[in-house]
Amino acid sequence: MNNMVVLQIRNLNVYYNTLISWVKVLSDVNLDVEKGEIVGVVGESGSGKSTLGHAISRILPPNARIQGDIIVDGVNLAKLKDSELQKYRGTWVFMIFQNPLNSLNPVKKVGSQLLEAVKIRYQREGKKAEEESLMRDVIEVLKDLRLPDPYSIIDRYPHQLSGGQVQRIVISMALLLKPKLLIADEPTSALDVTIQAQVVNLFKQLNKEINTSILFITHDISLAYVVSDRIVVMYAGRIMEDGKVEEVLKSPMHPYTQGLVASIPSGDKNQKLTAIPGNPPSFFALPTGCKFSNRCSKVFDICRKKEPSIIEKNGRKIRCWLYE
C-alpha cells in the first residue's frame, strides 16, 4: 500500500437483509484517500453516502453484510472481528454523526468523556501521564476551539449544551484522539449558517494541525466545494464521478453531476432554479443498465441495457457511456 494512501477501498459491496430479500445498497465502490486529503462525498438523499461512512467505521446494523476490502493504513478493517475493531476505532477511524449527540454518552459529563478520549490515545501510543496533565490537554483543546468558559463546559452534560457547542465537543474529541481518518457525516446540517461556517473552519484546522484525512459527507455540493480537495459523486450506491473539486464542479462530466451543479442557486433572483427530473430509485427496483438512465437527458439505448464501468478520463474517474 502506498504510504501516502490512508484509506483504500476495493470492490466494496454492502447488502442489507430485509423481510423481502437481500438488497445491495453499495455496489463496486473503489476509493483512495491520501494522507491529509479532504474528500467530499456528495449526492442526493439515499445515494449511499452515509452507508459508505458506516461501512468504513464498521458500524453497520446487524442485518448488513460486507464484501470487499476497507484498508486503513495497511489494516483491512473489513476482515476484522468486532472484538478486534476496538483497537482501531477512535485513533484510526473516528466518525462524527449528523446528530453530534450520537457520539456522546448522555449520562456522563463532557469532561470525563474527553478525558477518556485522551487516555485512550496515550494508552495506544504506550505513553503515561497524570490525570491532571491530561485534563490540561482537554482544556487547551477547548480553548483552541473557542468554547466559552471551558471549565464550566467540562462540568456539563451533553444535553445542557447548544448544537454548535456539542459539535465542537465532538471535534475536540477528534483533536484529542488524532485519528488517521475522520469521517464527518452531514456534520453541519443541523446548525445555523454562522455556526456552520465556524465548524467548517474547525475541520480545516483539524486537517492542517494534525494532517488528518477527512471524508466529508454532505448533500450540499456548494459546502463540499468550500471544504474539499476532491469530490466523489454518488448515486444509487455507486460512484459516478471522482476528481479534483475545481474540475468536477466547474466542468462536470457525468450528467448526474451536471444536474447537481446546475441546481445550485446562483444568487440571481430572476434566474429559475433547475432540478433533476424524477426521484432517486428505490434499491428494491433499480433500473436495468445505468442506474441514472431513467432521469438522464443524454440517455442512449445501451444505457438502458448495460451498466457502464468506472473508467479514467482526463485524470478523472467516471461511470458513463458518454465516455466509453
Side-chain angles (χ1 to χ4, degrees):
M1 182 175 172
N2 185 336
N3 289 334
M4 288 300 293
V5 178
V6 169
L7 172 66
Q8 190 178 59
I9 297 176
R10 291 294 176 267
N11 306 316
L12 177 63
N13 298 287
V14 173
Y15 302 82
Y16 284 153
N17 190 8
T18 70
L19 292 172
I20 302 171
S21 63
W22 282 95
V23 178
K24 187 190 273 191
V25 292
L26 284 186
S27 181
D28 188 32
V29 174
N30 290 276
L31 176 67
D32 287 352
V33 178
E34 294 187 359
K35 188 173 184 179
E37 186 179 29
I38 304 179
V39 176
V41 182
V42 301
E44 294 167 291
S45 296
S47 60
K49 308 184 301 296
S50 293
T51 301
L52 175 61
H54 293 165
I56 297 167
S57 306
R58 289 289 308 274
I59 54 172
L60 289 167
N63 67 326
R65 189 178 75 203
I66 287 179
Q67 289 178 345
D69 299 307
I70 303 167
I71 302 167
V72 177
D73 206 18
V75 176
N76 195 340
L77 301 185
K79 307 302 181 188
L80 297 180
K81 298 176 182 177
D82 287 344
S83 57
E84 298 170 318
L85 284 167
Q86 297 305 318
K87 178 181 176 184
Y88 302 99
R89 286 195 176 119
T91 48
W92 284 51
V93 177
F94 185 87
M95 186 162 186
I96 297 177
F97 298 95
Q98 185 171 356
N99 180 358
L101 283 170
N102 290 342
S103 300
L104 299 174
N105 188 328
V107 297
K108 292 177 73 174
K109 290 183 177 180
V110 165
S112 66
Q113 296 187 62
L114 293 176
L115 188 62
E116 184 181 1
V118 74
K119 279 180 179 177
I120 287 171
R121 194 191 87 226
Y122 269 68
Q123 183 183 359
R124 291 181 182 175
E125 291 176 351
K127 298 177 182 176
K128 289 186 178 180
E130 296 295 324
E131 190 163 302
E132 190 178 333
S133 172
L134 297 180
M135 187 52 82
R136 280 199 296 270
D137 288 352
V138 169
I139 295 297
E140 282 305 312
V141 166
L142 295 180
K143 285 179 178 177
D144 288 343
L145 296 184
R146 298 178 187 84
L147 276 158
D149 194 2
Y151 291 97
S152 171
I153 291 283
I154 62 173
D155 200 39
R156 295 183 195 173
Y157 292 95
H159 72 271
Q160 295 176 308
L161 304 175
S162 70
Q165 287 175 327
V166 173
Q167 196 64 285
R168 286 167 189 248
I169 293 298
V170 176
I171 293 172
S172 67
M173 192 176 284
L175 277 165
L176 291 165
L177 283 164
K178 297 185 178 178
K180 298 175 187 291
L181 175 69
L182 175 66
I183 301 168
D185 185 9
E186 302 276 10
T188 62
S189 62
L191 306 176
D192 64 52
V193 176
T194 305
I195 302 298
Q196 195 177 84
Q198 293 173 0
V199 169
V200 165
N201 287 332
L202 291 175
F203 277 109
K204 289 187 171 183
Q205 177 186 335
L206 178 67
N207 170 253
K208 186 177 180 181
E209 287 185 3
I210 60 178
N211 208 25
T212 290
S213 303
I214 299 176
L215 205 63
F216 194 91
I217 298 168
T218 179
H219 66 276
D220 187 340
I221 198 166
S222 55
L223 180 62
Y225 175 75
V226 173
V227 177
S228 312
D229 304 311
R230 213 171 94 226
I231 287 278
V232 170
V233 181
M234 292 192 70
Y235 184 80
R238 290 144 174 83
I239 290 177
M240 294 302 200
E241 189 164 354
D242 177 352
K244 292 179 180 177
V245 63
E246 290 279 344
E247 294 175 1
V248 171
L249 297 189
K250 290 190 175 177
S251 58
M253 293 173 69
H254 197 285
Y256 179 57
T257 313
Q258 292 168 3
L260 290 178
V261 172
S263 68
I264 300 172
S266 66
D268 183 354
K269 63 181 180 180
N270 296 315
Q271 183 181 352
K272 253 187 165 183
L273 285 177
T274 60
I276 302 171
N279 296 304
S282 163
F283 284 104
F284 289 99
L286 291 174
T288 304
C290 174
K291 306 312 170 196
F292 187 61
S293 60
N294 61 339
R295 303 175 71 193
C296 183
S297 61
K298 300 177 181 178
V299 64
F300 299 110
D301 285 343
I302 193 172
C303 303
R304 295 191 176 96
K305 297 174 183 175
K306 185 178 178 184
E307 184 169 11
S309 302
I310 282 272
I311 62 166
E312 291 213 20
K313 186 82 173 177
N314 302 331
R316 208 179 302 183
K317 292 178 182 176
I318 187 162
R319 186 190 298 273
C320 184
W321 284 115
L322 284 171
Y323 305 98
E324 286 277 358

